[in-house]
């Protein structure tokens, strides 16, 4: 059986916004009734059909790296950001502050990933509009807990529009407790699939397949994507050929507290 190529997507946002529940919903199509805090990083994988239904359809693995949002671990999270092929920014639709902090999360990933363009920038002087362009990494903004809003879904999406518009990114609003939030054929599912296609396109089908964070004037700085998950002897997990995805726990140290 031919090896299946993969891409790495970072999932970031404030602690408690529902990242772990979201990743569970995306990868397994299941909800978590009692999620726990993520300390470090929890990695899960799903199969994605790139350009499904076309002559170019191909199966890829998508690694979703759910990074713990605690501010006390800010200085140790950089190990999870390099490389990054796509970013999912997650916020709580009932918590305006978590949306405002998405700019800080984006700046943190770009700074730590090693891109000299953003190196040493502070959160205050980081401008998401500088990030816009076809050569940049794909971004998806997801607002969670839409079920807890008294206002309409349309209003929820308007609240989350700022960071998405600045980054020229798609955005969706989901209820992590409802599987139908990402039901096949729904607007949210279509946008999610389109996002994964963009990540794969940039990583594996670009003109030169150079990582979006590599300085094209300094190709000696290129580094291949060497994920610990690619090592079959890695303690992270044993991939199940039957399920098409697996959950990894070596980076996931969960407490007994709810997220």
């Amino acid at each position: 059986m031919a090896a299946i190529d993969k891409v790495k997507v970072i999932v970031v946002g404030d602690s408690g916004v529902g990242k772990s529940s979201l990743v569970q919903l995306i990868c397994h199509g299941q909800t978590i009734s009692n999620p726990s805090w993520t300390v470090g990083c929890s990695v899960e994988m799903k199969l994605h059909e790139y350009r499904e239904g076309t002559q170019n359809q191909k199966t890829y693995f998508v690694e979703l790296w759910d990074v713990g949002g605690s501010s006390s671990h800010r200085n140790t999270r950089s190990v999870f950001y390099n490389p990054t092929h796509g970013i999912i920014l997650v916020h709580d639709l009932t918590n305006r502050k978590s949306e405002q902090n998405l700019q800080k999360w984006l700046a943190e990933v770009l700074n730590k990933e090693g891109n000299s363009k953003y190196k040493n920038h502070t959160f205050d002087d980081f401008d998401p509009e500088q990030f816009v362009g076809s050569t940049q990494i794909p971004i998806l903004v997801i607002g969670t807990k839409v079920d807890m809003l008294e206002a309409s879904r349309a209003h929820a999406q308007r609240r989350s529009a700022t960071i998405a518009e600045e980054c020229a990114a798609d955005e969706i609003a989901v209820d992590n407790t409802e599987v139908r939030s990402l039901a096949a054929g729904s607007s949210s599912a279509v946008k999610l699939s389109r996002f994964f296609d963009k990540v794969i396109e940039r990583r594996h089908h670009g003109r030169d397949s150079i990582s979006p964070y590599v300085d094209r004037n300094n190709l000696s700085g290129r580094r291949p994507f060497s994920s610990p998950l690619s090592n079959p002897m890695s303690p992270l997990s044993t991939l199940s050929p039957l399920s098409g995805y697996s959950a990894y726990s070596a980076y996931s140290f969960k407490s007994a507290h709810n997220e």
Side-chain angles (χ1 to χ4, degrees):
M1 179 179 176
I4 299 179
D5 291 327
K6 55 183 172 289
V7 292
K8 175 182 174 182
V9 175
I10 300 295
V11 183
V12 292
D14 287 357
S15 182
V17 298
K19 297 186 299 297
S20 296
S21 298
L22 175 65
V23 170
Q24 178 78 7
L25 184 61
I26 292 174
C27 291
H28 302 272
Q30 300 174 347
T31 61
I32 303 177
S33 59
N34 192 28
S36 55
W37 296 101
T38 298
V39 179
C41 182
S42 176
V43 184
E44 301 199 20
M45 183 179 287
K46 76 181 300 293
L47 283 175
H48 174 71
E49 294 299 324
Y50 169 73
R51 292 193 175 182
E52 186 172 13
T54 72
Q55 62 180 2
N56 296 320
Q57 179 173 337
K58 183 179 178 181
T59 302
Y60 287 86
F61 281 131
V62 177
E63 293 179 359
L64 294 177
W65 290 56
D66 169 19
V67 180
S70 174
S71 59
S72 62
H73 301 118
R74 178 181 301 168
N75 295 330
T76 61
R77 289 194 289 254
S78 61
V79 65
F80 305 124
Y81 295 151
N82 193 356
T84 297
H85 303 139
I87 303 173
I88 295 180
L89 300 173
V90 186
H91 69 103
D92 178 351
L93 288 167
T94 67
N95 182 348
R96 182 69 174 178
K97 183 64 174 178
S98 70
E99 178 191 352
Q100 296 171 342
N101 286 340
L102 292 183
Q103 181 170 314
K104 296 181 179 180
W105 280 104
L106 181 57
E108 178 180 308
V109 174
L110 295 182
N111 286 335
K112 298 299 183 181
E113 205 281 341
N115 186 0
S116 59
K117 179 178 179 180
Y118 304 101
K119 202 72 172 178
N120 299 322
H121 280 210
T122 65
F123 294 144
D124 293 334
D125 63 20
F126 178 77
D127 182 3
E129 292 184 357
Q130 297 176 355
F131 189 67
V132 176
S134 59
T135 61
Q136 305 300 346
I137 190 171
I139 294 175
L140 179 66
V141 178
I142 300 182
T144 63
K145 306 183 183 180
V146 68
D147 55 305
M148 299 177 64
L149 284 178
E150 296 180 359
S152 66
R153 180 181 293 268
H155 177 64
Q157 292 177 336
R158 285 197 299 270
R159 289 189 60 190
S160 64
T162 301
I163 187 69
E165 290 180 351
E166 290 179 342
C167 296
D170 275 337
E171 55 179 329
I172 60 178
V174 301
D175 172 4
N176 286 344
T177 66
E178 181 53 70
V179 174
R180 289 179 297 178
S181 288
L182 292 177
S186 66
S187 174
S188 294
V190 169
K191 288 183 178 181
L192 180 64
S193 179
R194 183 167 60 195
F195 166 72
F196 288 147
D197 277 358
K198 289 179 181 178
V199 174
I200 293 169
E201 181 78 30
R202 170 52 52 187
R203 173 60 182 169
H204 294 287
H205 298 274
R207 291 182 179 179
D208 50 14
S209 297
I210 296 177
S211 168
Y213 278 147
V214 170
D215 183 351
R216 294 171 183 266
N217 295 320
N218 181 21
L219 297 185
S220 62
R222 292 184 61 182
R223 283 183 289 178
F225 175 30
S226 177
S227 167
L229 304 182
S230 62
N231 181 356
M233 301 304 293
S234 170
L236 285 177
S237 173
T238 300
L239 179 62
S240 169
L242 299 178
S243 63
Y245 55 75
S246 61
Y248 303 96
S249 59
Y251 282 147
S252 177
F253 303 97
K254 304 280 190 174
S255 74
H257 301 292
N258 293 340
E259 181 169 2

